[in-house]
Amino acid sequence: MSANIRTTARRTAAWRRALAATAVLASTGSILALTPAPAQAALPAQSIADPVHYWNDVLQEAFRRTGGGPVPMARAAAMMNAAIYDAESSYQLKWKGRMTSAAYIAAENYAGIAEGPDEEERVIGRTAYDILLNLYGLNRPNKETTVDLTSFLDQRFSQRFGTSPTAFDLLDVTVVNKMVTQMMTKRAGDGSDNQQLYTLNNEQGAWRPTSYPDMVDGKCDDVSDAVNPFWGQVRPFSLTSGSQFRPTRLGRFATYANLVASPEYKAQVEAVRTAGAAAPTAATPVVNRTADQVNAAWFWANDNDGTYKPPGQMLQATREVSKARGLTVYQNARLFALVSIALADTGIAVRDAKFATPIDLWRPVSAIREGGLDPQWKPLLKNNAGVNVSPCFPAYVSGHASFGAAWAGVMKRYFGSDDLAFDLTTDEPLAPVKTRHFTSFSAAAKEDADSRIWLGVHFPWDATDGLTLGEQVANQVFTTQLRTL
């Protein structure tokens, strides 16, 4: 077993049985030399039929329980869904006699005595569980949070299968261990565990913590609170580097002094000052924002811990479109893998644009208050306690806009059209409206991008250039990963 695979001590016996079976397989060349495993019991009744949907729901609950920044969440989604895709591809190759598209890493034809009615379910579930255990279990290698989800994952596994995840299953030998080891080995040392702290620049225009005296929530009080400042250096899944599609708009100004003196910058500040204010003030007496824009702003928010954050909302959107169009398990495995890889690489590209360029743009609240326009101005965005807040990282480019465009770019290519109508939901607790209707994938992404201006946490160019970045990543992923043969 790869040293990169962290498993809890309570699973050791099961893994030893799997390793013993592997040894027999290697020495005999045939799985027939093994003592047949006991017949699998019938699965419990399922409220969620598709296993890809089920395990993505489990992943989203992991997001809610652990909190933290959105970019590690996107990485986790890509790891789980790409591994699921490889496992499902192996199943398709073995039992259906076909491989309908190229695997992300390597889909292997596995040995077996006979195809069981639940084998597809088991190969997906055990792969997903093991990836999630490595990411969120007690012995995970990258501990962004102190939350251990081992018991939660065990519970969700048992709910699905009616058995313990530590019970021996021949599929661990023939498929699952390979896929999990491949993925964990592939992502080991990718830079996601970089704990280096951000260095603050005090120039006007440069990002700084946004917990002002009337906006203190303990999440952005100090430069050390900057979220994932070196994630732009993480090794991508599909891109050549985080800077492959780096936006160049702010680079034209060269210095912060040139930036804040420019008419273009001043227009950007004025746009968000009037559209994103929490409420009118003496210096900002009019807020130019409609009631529907407020609804949209909160619909897409998902900034606070306890929500599934932007990557989770994109996975939920994928699920809702998939369910409405009746996709098969294999089709879902491929779609969710493509979406997740695009989200992961978008997260890397966004952090590169935010932290690794000459200008790390401050948030609108800093521009408006410290620029002398309105010392009382607050963004509409609030935490669950009602305190107005801004995310604790630079503004340019918008992660929400980029994630939305990456999702839309994959979806319209996968379905062969942008113009499909669908309904989406949100789990944002402060959203007045929980469901919104869209007539195209691009329209949903555009509203996601604009919502950040209405919340007062982004400038218009953050949204515009984020949409472009996400689309570029989507095109890269769709044209190079999991291509149909």
Side-chain angles (χ1 to χ4, degrees):
M1 187 184 305
S2 167
N4 293 306
I5 304 300
R6 277 32 175 218
T7 57
T8 56
R10 44 188 274 295
R11 305 187 72 221
T12 301
W15 283 111
R16 285 176 177 168
R17 289 194 294 273
L19 288 173
T22 303
V24 173
L25 177 61
S27 63
T28 64
S30 173
I31 204 70
L32 294 176
L34 294 171
T35 301
Q40 293 292 319
L43 295 178
Q46 305 295 334
S47 60
I48 301 172
D50 192 297
V52 178
H53 289 172
Y54 181 85
W55 288 101
N56 275 277
D57 286 355
V58 173
L59 176 65
Q60 289 181 49
E61 182 60 24
F63 293 165
R64 296 185 186 99
R65 293 186 180 215
T66 57
V71 289
M73 296 175 178
R75 174 181 179 267
M79 292 175 67
M80 186 192 79
N81 281 309
I84 285 176
Y85 176 78
D86 275 356
E88 167 67 5
S89 294
S90 285
Y91 168 84
Q92 290 287 332
L93 182 60
K94 171 63 180 179
W95 296 120
K96 307 306 178 185
R98 60 189 174 86
M99 173 65 70
T100 54
S101 65
Y104 170 64
I105 297 175
E108 304 215 16
N109 186 5
Y110 62 93
I113 300 171
E115 180 190 11
D118 65 348
E119 188 160 327
E120 183 178 33
E121 172 80 43
R122 283 160 47 223
V123 76
I124 288 175
R126 298 191 77 87
T127 298
Y129 169 86
D130 283 353
I131 292 289
L132 292 177
L133 189 68
N134 275 275
L135 292 171
Y136 296 106
L138 181 62
N139 294 324
R140 61 196 182 283
N142 299 327
K143 296 186 178 181
E144 182 175 271
T145 73
T146 59
V147 179
D148 170 32
L149 298 186
T150 302
S151 296
F152 163 70
L153 295 173
D154 287 355
Q155 178 187 43
R156 294 305 299 269
F157 183 97
S158 297
Q159 286 175 353
R160 190 69 176 176
F161 292 104
T163 60
S164 167
T166 62
F168 174 70
D169 191 319
L170 193 59
L171 289 177
D172 284 338
V173 180
T174 55
V175 187
V176 173
N177 293 356
K178 291 181 181 179
M179 300 309 170
V180 175
T181 300
Q182 284 178 148
M183 180 54 70
M184 298 309 297
T185 300
K186 184 77 172 179
R187 299 314 302 177
D190 65 358
S192 59
D193 58 351
N194 187 341
Q195 300 298 314
Q196 187 176 351
L197 297 180
Y198 181 71
T199 301
L200 190 65
N201 184 326
N202 290 316
E203 292 184 69
Q204 289 278 297
W207 179 81
R208 69 280 315 276
T210 54
S211 287
Y212 295 96
D214 56 344
M215 292 177 55
V216 174
D217 75 337
K219 294 292 184 68
C220 200
D221 299 334
D222 185 79
V223 65
S224 63
D225 294 327
V227 180
N228 304 123
F230 291 91
W231 200 269
Q233 299 175 13
V234 170
R235 183 173 67 249
F237 288 74
S238 177
L239 303 185
T240 58
S241 70
S243 63
Q244 182 175 350
F245 299 117
R246 179 184 288 176
T248 59
R249 183 192 300 266
L250 296 191
R252 293 178 298 149
F253 297 105
T255 68
Y256 287 105
N258 289 341
L259 170 72
V260 299
S262 69
E264 185 178 3
Y265 165 81
K266 293 175 181 178
Q268 293 283 315
V269 175
E270 185 63 19
V272 69
R273 182 168 78 94
T274 57
T281 65
T284 308
V286 177
V287 179
N288 296 317
R289 185 179 55 221
T290 68
D292 188 61
Q293 288 171 341
V294 171
N295 290 340
W298 283 114
F299 178 88
W300 293 104
N302 295 300
D303 286 281
N304 297 317
D305 289 349
T307 69
Y308 48 30
K309 299 293 179 82
Q313 188 165 25
M314 294 298 93
L315 294 175
Q316 178 65 16
T318 306
R319 185 186 194 281
E320 288 163 346
V321 174
S322 160
K323 186 175 180 181
R325 303 193 71 81
L327 267 59
T328 66
V329 172
Y330 176 78
Q331 289 170 333
N332 277 323
R334 179 169 179 258
L335 176 59
F336 274 81
L338 286 167
V339 166
S340 299
I341 292 168
L343 294 177
D345 278 5
T346 296
I348 295 169
V350 165
R351 278 307 193 270
D352 172 82
K354 286 181 180 295
F355 284 107
T357 56
I359 293 178
D360 298 350
L361 186 63
W362 60 7
R363 289 281 174 171
V365 66
S366 300
I368 294 166
R369 289 191 172 201
E370 299 184 37
L373 296 175
D374 186 347
Q376 297 178 311
W377 191 93
K378 297 179 185 180
L380 177 63
L381 182 65
K382 299 178 181 179
N383 65 16
N384 292 333
V387 177
N388 300 85
V389 295
S390 280
C392 205
F393 37 83
Y396 186 84
V397 291
S398 165
H400 276 70
S402 303
F403 282 134
W407 172 81
V410 169
M411 296 295 281
K412 68 185 181 184
R413 288 170 172 83
Y414 185 93
F415 288 103
S417 174
D418 189 23
D419 299 322
L420 297 179
F422 50 88
D423 292 331
L424 299 182
T425 63
T426 183
D427 79 343
E428 169 57 58
L430 299 179
V433 175
K434 301 296 186 182
T435 302
R436 291 182 71 82
H437 180 76
F438 300 94
T439 57
S440 71
F441 298 119
S442 295
K446 179 65 163 57
E447 184 178 272
D448 190 0
D450 290 343
S451 73
R452 306 307 285 172
I453 303 165
W454 303 327
L455 281 174
V457 295
H458 276 289
F459 304 98
W461 58 21
D462 304 341
T464 300
D465 292 358
L467 288 171
T468 299
L469 177 60
E471 165 63 20
Q472 290 173 318
V473 174
N475 183 66
Q476 164 79 14
V477 169
F478 197 84
T479 56
T480 62
Q481 304 296 314
L482 321 189
R483 291 174 294 176
T484 301
L485 297 178

